[in-house]
Amino acid sequence: MARVTSHLLAGAAALGLGYALIGGASALSAEAVVHAPAPLVTAPATTNSETAIFAGGCYWGVQGVFQHVKGVTSAVSGFTGGVAGTATYDRVSDGDTGHAESVRVTFDPRVVSYAELLRVYFSVITDPTELNRQGPDEGTQYRSALFPTSPAQAKVARAYLAQLSQAKLWPAPIVTRLEPLKAFYPAPAYHQDYLTRHPDAPYIAYNDMPKVKALKAMYPQLWREQPVLVKG
């Protein structure tokens, strides 16, 4: 698997720094965390289950973080933005399919709102100023993008992007895209729960485990110790 190999090599290249940092409360990743403000616009819970889709780099870390958020009942890695015929790992890795590596998050809005998930996403998952890349991964398939599944979610996402742009938390402009949802296609089984199954893999240890630790430190009210896994 070419992309898996590149991930492992990228992690190995960072080991001199990564292993010195991982394990402490102040662990850093390739992307610094930002304490994003609470969203000013939210939506009332009208059901006990919603689904939202997030793209923010390699789906291993995106899935791994959301699996530790209280109120999330499912987080599945997959592809969004292209057509069914190109929704395979090898084709998406070519970077020309329109797909983004993404995660479909199902959650109970009575426990955690879509607005709170957005706050987690911008705080510890994605660098919204990186265009068509995240950390060591380059290509449109690693873009930072939101795929709302309802008009209410779109309204909250649009308002929060405006709020964050006005707050100027990052030194560069926000390039996170708000895209219409076409369809979501789950990734192969060996990519599901990857962070939980391979926490010591160099790529995961350096790029993604610090994000999970940041979630626990920054948002203890949203933290769940046992992740909700695709494979149970």
Side-chain angles (χ1 to χ4, degrees), residues 46-208:
T46 58
T47 179
N48 62 3
S49 182
E50 282 188 42
T51 299
I53 296 177
F54 302 84
C58 173
Y59 45 32
W60 294 343
V62 180
Q63 180 190 47
V65 171
F66 279 128
Q67 287 179 322
H68 279 281
V69 174
K70 193 179 299 182
V72 169
T73 57
S74 174
V76 179
S77 293
F79 312 107
T80 311
V83 299
T86 59
T88 65
Y89 177 76
D90 289 340
R91 279 293 289 117
V92 172
S93 295
D94 290 337
D96 61 356
T97 65
H99 282 295
E101 289 199 6
S102 56
V103 175
R104 182 182 64 199
V105 178
T106 304
F107 60 100
D108 185 341
R110 301 169 303 177
V111 179
V112 61
S113 67
Y114 178 65
E116 289 174 303
L117 294 179
L118 286 175
R119 190 182 191 190
V120 168
Y121 170 81
F122 284 105
S123 292
V124 304
I125 290 177
T126 193
D127 180 342
T129 69
E130 291 193 319
L131 181 64
N132 295 332
R133 66 167 296 154
Q134 285 290 302
D137 301 314
E138 298 185 36
T140 58
Q141 69 271 34
Y142 300 114
R143 65 187 181 272
S144 175
L146 302 170
F147 299 86
T149 63
S150 70
Q153 285 187 6
K155 178 180 179 181
V156 172
R158 193 174 297 109
Y160 198 46
L161 282 169
Q163 180 183 344
L164 293 179
S165 294
Q166 188 172 16
K168 298 187 183 303
L169 299 175
W170 294 271
I174 292 174
V175 295
T176 299
R177 297 173 56 170
L178 191 60
E179 300 186 33
L181 175 62
K182 297 178 180 178
F184 175 84
Y185 306 94
Y190 58 83
H191 281 290
Q192 306 297 342
D193 307 328
Y194 198 92
L195 180 146
T196 298
R197 293 186 294 109
H198 304 285
D200 298 323
Y203 179 92
I204 296 293
Y206 180 69
N207 293 287
D208 294 330

